[in-house]
PDB file of all heavy atoms in Angstrom:
ATOM      1  N   GLY B1272       4.924 -17.869 -10.933  1.00  0.00           N
ATOM      2  CA  GLY B1272       5.924 -18.806 -10.420  1.00  0.00           C
ATOM      3  C   GLY B1272       6.808 -18.161  -9.368  1.00  0.00           C
ATOM      4  O   GLY B1272       7.023 -18.730  -8.293  1.00  0.00           O
ATOM      5  N   PHE B1273       7.294 -16.963  -9.653  1.00  0.00           N
ATOM      6  CA  PHE B1273       8.137 -16.262  -8.674  1.00  0.00           C
ATOM      7  C   PHE B1273       7.373 -16.018  -7.377  1.00  0.00           C
ATOM      8  O   PHE B1273       7.881 -16.259  -6.276  1.00  0.00           O
ATOM      9  CB  PHE B1273       8.631 -14.923  -9.244  1.00  0.00           C
ATOM     10  CG  PHE B1273       9.873 -15.057 -10.080  1.00  0.00           C
ATOM     11  CD1 PHE B1273       9.873 -14.679 -11.415  1.00  0.00           C
ATOM     12  CD2 PHE B1273      11.044 -15.562  -9.526  1.00  0.00           C
ATOM     13  CE1 PHE B1273      11.010 -14.809 -12.188  1.00  0.00           C
ATOM     14  CE2 PHE B1273      12.192 -15.690 -10.295  1.00  0.00           C
ATOM     15  CZ  PHE B1273      12.171 -15.307 -11.630  1.00  0.00           C
ATOM     16  N   LEU B1274       6.132 -15.514  -7.499  1.00  0.00           N
ATOM     17  CA  LEU B1274       5.355 -15.207  -6.297  1.00  0.00           C
ATOM     18  C   LEU B1274       5.176 -16.459  -5.446  1.00  0.00           C
ATOM     19  O   LEU B1274       5.459 -16.470  -4.254  1.00  0.00           O
ATOM     20  CB  LEU B1274       3.989 -14.631  -6.685  1.00  0.00           C
ATOM     21  CG  LEU B1274       4.000 -13.259  -7.361  1.00  0.00           C
ATOM     22  CD1 LEU B1274       2.612 -12.908  -7.883  1.00  0.00           C
ATOM     23  CD2 LEU B1274       4.476 -12.182  -6.389  1.00  0.00           C
ATOM     24  N   GLN B1275       4.724 -17.554  -6.092  1.00  0.00           N
ATOM     25  CA  GLN B1275       4.445 -18.760  -5.327  1.00  0.00           C
ATOM     26  C   GLN B1275       5.728 -19.366  -4.760  1.00  0.00           C
ATOM     27  O   GLN B1275       5.739 -19.878  -3.637  1.00  0.00           O
ATOM     28  CB  GLN B1275       3.697 -19.784  -6.193  1.00  0.00           C
ATOM     29  CG  GLN B1275       2.910 -20.756  -5.333  1.00  0.00           C
ATOM     30  CD  GLN B1275       2.339 -21.919  -6.111  1.00  0.00           C
ATOM     31  OE1 GLN B1275       2.665 -22.121  -7.274  1.00  0.00           O
ATOM     32  NE2 GLN B1275       1.482 -22.684  -5.470  1.00  0.00           N
ATOM     33  N   ALA B1276       6.811 -19.279  -5.521  1.00  0.00           N
ATOM     34  CA  ALA B1276       8.080 -19.834  -5.043  1.00  0.00           C
ATOM     35  C   ALA B1276       8.511 -19.119  -3.761  1.00  0.00           C
ATOM     36  O   ALA B1276       8.879 -19.759  -2.780  1.00  0.00           O
ATOM     37  CB  ALA B1276       9.147 -19.702  -6.121  1.00  0.00           C
ATOM     38  N   TYR B1277       8.438 -17.779  -3.752  1.00  0.00           N
ATOM     39  CA  TYR B1277       8.879 -17.054  -2.555  1.00  0.00           C
ATOM     40  C   TYR B1277       7.934 -17.292  -1.374  1.00  0.00           C
ATOM     41  O   TYR B1277       8.375 -17.387  -0.230  1.00  0.00           O
ATOM     42  CB  TYR B1277       9.003 -15.553  -2.855  1.00  0.00           C
ATOM     43  CG  TYR B1277      10.206 -15.223  -3.704  1.00  0.00           C
ATOM     44  CD1 TYR B1277      10.086 -14.581  -4.924  1.00  0.00           C
ATOM     45  CD2 TYR B1277      11.491 -15.582  -3.290  1.00  0.00           C
ATOM     46  CE1 TYR B1277      11.190 -14.284  -5.710  1.00  0.00           C
ATOM     47  CE2 TYR B1277      12.600 -15.298  -4.063  1.00  0.00           C
ATOM     48  CZ  TYR B1277      12.451 -14.648  -5.276  1.00  0.00           C
ATOM     49  OH  TYR B1277      13.538 -14.375  -6.045  1.00  0.00           O
ATOM     50  N   ILE B1278       6.627 -17.390  -1.671  1.00  0.00           N
ATOM     51  CA  ILE B1278       5.678 -17.650  -0.569  1.00  0.00           C
ATOM     52  C   ILE B1278       5.983 -19.008   0.072  1.00  0.00           C
ATOM     53  O   ILE B1278       6.082 -19.131   1.288  1.00  0.00           O
ATOM     54  CB  ILE B1278       4.216 -17.623  -1.098  1.00  0.00           C
ATOM     55  CG1 ILE B1278       3.819 -16.197  -1.507  1.00  0.00           C
ATOM     56  CG2 ILE B1278       3.258 -18.124  -0.021  1.00  0.00           C
ATOM     57  CD1 ILE B1278       2.537 -16.115  -2.312  1.00  0.00           C
ATOM     58  N   LEU B1279       6.181 -20.030  -0.775  1.00  0.00           N
ATOM     59  CA  LEU B1279       6.404 -21.364  -0.219  1.00  0.00           C
ATOM     60  C   LEU B1279       7.792 -21.500   0.409  1.00  0.00           C
ATOM     61  O   LEU B1279       7.981 -22.249   1.367  1.00  0.00           O
ATOM     62  CB  LEU B1279       6.164 -22.446  -1.275  1.00  0.00           C
ATOM     63  CG  LEU B1279       4.700 -22.593  -1.703  1.00  0.00           C
ATOM     64  CD1 LEU B1279       4.526 -23.738  -2.687  1.00  0.00           C
ATOM     65  CD2 LEU B1279       3.795 -22.832  -0.484  1.00  0.00           C
ATOM     66  N   LEU B1280       8.764 -20.750  -0.129  1.00  0.00           N
ATOM     67  CA  LEU B1280      10.102 -20.799   0.490  1.00  0.00           C
ATOM     68  C   LEU B1280      10.049 -20.222   1.905  1.00  0.00           C
ATOM     69  O   LEU B1280      10.816 -20.648   2.774  1.00  0.00           O
ATOM     70  CB  LEU B1280      11.125 -20.040  -0.363  1.00  0.00           C
ATOM     71  CG  LEU B1280      11.680 -20.834  -1.547  1.00  0.00           C
ATOM     72  CD1 LEU B1280      12.607 -19.963  -2.378  1.00  0.00           C
ATOM     73  CD2 LEU B1280      12.407 -22.080  -1.076  1.00  0.00           C
ATOM     74  N   ALA B1281       9.131 -19.261   2.134  1.00  0.00           N
ATOM     75  CA  ALA B1281       8.996 -18.696   3.486  1.00  0.00           C
ATOM     76  C   ALA B1281       8.607 -19.777   4.487  1.00  0.00           C
ATOM     77  O   ALA B1281       8.940 -19.700   5.662  1.00  0.00           O
ATOM     78  CB  ALA B1281       7.970 -17.559   3.483  1.00  0.00           C
ATOM     79  N   VAL B1282       7.882 -20.804   4.000  1.00  0.00           N
ATOM     80  CA  VAL B1282       7.514 -21.925   4.879  1.00  0.00           C
ATOM     81  C   VAL B1282       8.773 -22.640   5.361  1.00  0.00           C
ATOM     82  O   VAL B1282       8.868 -23.078   6.517  1.00  0.00           O
ATOM     83  CB  VAL B1282       6.579 -22.907   4.132  1.00  0.00           C
ATOM     84  CG1 VAL B1282       6.371 -24.186   4.924  1.00  0.00           C
ATOM     85  CG2 VAL B1282       5.235 -22.235   3.837  1.00  0.00           C
ATOM     86  N   PHE B1283       9.776 -22.721   4.475  1.00  0.00           N
ATOM     87  CA  PHE B1283      10.973 -23.504   4.809  1.00  0.00           C
ATOM     88  C   PHE B1283      11.950 -22.716   5.680  1.00  0.00           C
ATOM     89  O   PHE B1283      13.018 -23.222   6.018  1.00  0.00           O
ATOM     90  CB  PHE B1283      11.644 -24.020   3.535  1.00  0.00           C
ATOM     91  CG  PHE B1283      10.845 -25.118   2.904  1.00  0.00           C
ATOM     92  CD1 PHE B1283       9.880 -24.841   1.951  1.00  0.00           C
ATOM     93  CD2 PHE B1283      11.024 -26.444   3.305  1.00  0.00           C
ATOM     94  CE1 PHE B1283       9.115 -25.854   1.393  1.00  0.00           C
ATOM     95  CE2 PHE B1283      10.262 -27.453   2.760  1.00  0.00           C
ATOM     96  CZ  PHE B1283       9.315 -27.161   1.794  1.00  0.00           C
ATOM     97  N   ARG B1284      11.593 -21.460   6.063  1.00  0.00           N
ATOM     98  CA  ARG B1284      12.383 -20.785   7.089  1.00  0.00           C
ATOM     99  C   ARG B1284      12.079 -21.388   8.456  1.00  0.00           C
ATOM    100  O   ARG B1284      12.830 -21.218   9.397  1.00  0.00           O
ATOM    101  CB  ARG B1284      12.020 -19.294   7.126  1.00  0.00           C
ATOM    102  CG  ARG B1284      12.551 -18.516   5.939  1.00  0.00           C
ATOM    103  CD  ARG B1284      12.141 -17.052   6.094  1.00  0.00           C
ATOM    104  NE  ARG B1284      12.010 -16.432   4.782  1.00  0.00           N
ATOM    105  CZ  ARG B1284      11.332 -15.312   4.560  1.00  0.00           C
ATOM    106  NH1 ARG B1284      10.703 -14.697   5.559  1.00  0.00           N
ATOM    107  NH2 ARG B1284      11.266 -14.797   3.346  1.00  0.00           N
ATOM    108  N   HIS B1285      10.920 -22.052   8.550  1.00  0.00           N
ATOM    109  CA  HIS B1285      10.498 -22.589   9.847  1.00  0.00           C
ATOM    110  C   HIS B1285      10.795 -24.068   9.978  1.00  0.00           C
ATOM    111  O   HIS B1285      10.850 -24.597  11.072  1.00  0.00           O
ATOM    112  CB  HIS B1285       9.005 -22.350  10.056  1.00  0.00           C
ATOM    113  CG  HIS B1285       8.606 -20.909   9.982  1.00  0.00           C
ATOM    114  ND1 HIS B1285       8.601 -20.086  11.080  1.00  0.00           N
ATOM    115  CD2 HIS B1285       8.250 -20.125   8.929  1.00  0.00           C
ATOM    116  CE1 HIS B1285       8.228 -18.861  10.717  1.00  0.00           C
ATOM    117  NE2 HIS B1285       8.012 -18.865   9.412  1.00  0.00           N
ATOM    118  N   ARG B1286      10.877 -24.775   8.872  1.00  0.00           N
ATOM    119  CA  ARG B1286      11.109 -26.220   8.931  1.00  0.00           C
ATOM    120  C   ARG B1286      11.851 -26.660   7.668  1.00  0.00           C
ATOM    121  O   ARG B1286      11.830 -25.955   6.661  1.00  0.00           O
ATOM    122  CB  ARG B1286       9.789 -26.967   9.088  1.00  0.00           C
ATOM    123  CG  ARG B1286       8.732 -26.572   8.056  1.00  0.00           C
ATOM    124  CD  ARG B1286       7.370 -27.110   8.411  1.00  0.00           C
ATOM    125  NE  ARG B1286       7.377 -28.566   8.412  1.00  0.00           N
ATOM    126  CZ  ARG B1286       6.295 -29.304   8.685  1.00  0.00           C
ATOM    127  NH1 ARG B1286       5.165 -28.722   8.985  1.00  0.00           N
ATOM    128  NH2 ARG B1286       6.353 -30.611   8.680  1.00  0.00           N
ATOM    129  N   SER B1287      12.501 -27.821   7.715  1.00  0.00           N
ATOM    130  CA  SER B1287      13.338 -28.218   6.582  1.00  0.00           C
ATOM    131  C   SER B1287      12.574 -29.096   5.599  1.00  0.00           C
ATOM    132  O   SER B1287      12.933 -29.195   4.426  1.00  0.00           O
ATOM    133  CB  SER B1287      14.588 -28.943   7.067  1.00  0.00           C
ATOM    134  OG  SER B1287      14.211 -30.151   7.683  1.00  0.00           O
ATOM    135  N   HIS B1288      11.519 -29.759   6.072  1.00  0.00           N
ATOM    136  CA  HIS B1288      10.726 -30.637   5.203  1.00  0.00           C
ATOM    137  C   HIS B1288       9.245 -30.439   5.445  1.00  0.00           C
ATOM    138  O   HIS B1288       8.823 -30.169   6.569  1.00  0.00           O
ATOM    139  CB  HIS B1288      11.059 -32.109   5.475  1.00  0.00           C
ATOM    140  CG  HIS B1288      12.309 -32.564   4.812  1.00  0.00           C
ATOM    141  ND1 HIS B1288      13.553 -32.287   5.336  1.00  0.00           N
ATOM    142  CD2 HIS B1288      12.532 -33.256   3.668  1.00  0.00           C
ATOM    143  CE1 HIS B1288      14.482 -32.786   4.535  1.00  0.00           C
ATOM    144  NE2 HIS B1288      13.894 -33.384   3.509  1.00  0.00           N
ATOM    145  N   VAL B1289       8.456 -30.559   4.376  1.00  0.00           N
ATOM    146  CA  VAL B1289       7.011 -30.703   4.527  1.00  0.00           C
ATOM    147  C   VAL B1289       6.672 -32.011   3.832  1.00  0.00           C
ATOM    148  O   VAL B1289       6.822 -32.137   2.626  1.00  0.00           O
ATOM    149  CB  VAL B1289       6.236 -29.545   3.868  1.00  0.00           C
ATOM    150  CG1 VAL B1289       4.735 -29.795   3.951  1.00  0.00           C
ATOM    151  CG2 VAL B1289       6.578 -28.226   4.537  1.00  0.00           C
ATOM    152  N   GLY B1290       6.252 -33.011   4.630  1.00  0.00           N
ATOM    153  CA  GLY B1290       6.079 -34.339   4.062  1.00  0.00           C
ATOM    154  C   GLY B1290       7.400 -34.790   3.478  1.00  0.00           C
ATOM    155  O   GLY B1290       8.445 -34.676   4.112  1.00  0.00           O
ATOM    156  N   SER B1291       7.384 -35.222   2.219  1.00  0.00           N
ATOM    157  CA  SER B1291       8.621 -35.706   1.603  1.00  0.00           C
ATOM    158  C   SER B1291       9.328 -34.591   0.822  1.00  0.00           C
ATOM    159  O   SER B1291      10.339 -34.831   0.188  1.00  0.00           O
ATOM    160  CB  SER B1291       8.301 -36.869   0.670  1.00  0.00           C
ATOM    161  OG  SER B1291       7.453 -36.418  -0.370  1.00  0.00           O
TER     162      SER B1291
END
Side-chain angles (χ1 to χ4, degrees):
Chain B
F1273 275 120
L1274 293 171
Q1275 203 190 10
Y1277 287 122
I1278 291 167
L1279 291 183
L1280 279 176
V1282 170
F1283 288 91
R1284 287 180 208 161
H1285 302 271
R1286 52 192 297 180
S1287 65
H1288 280 80
V1289 176
S1291 63

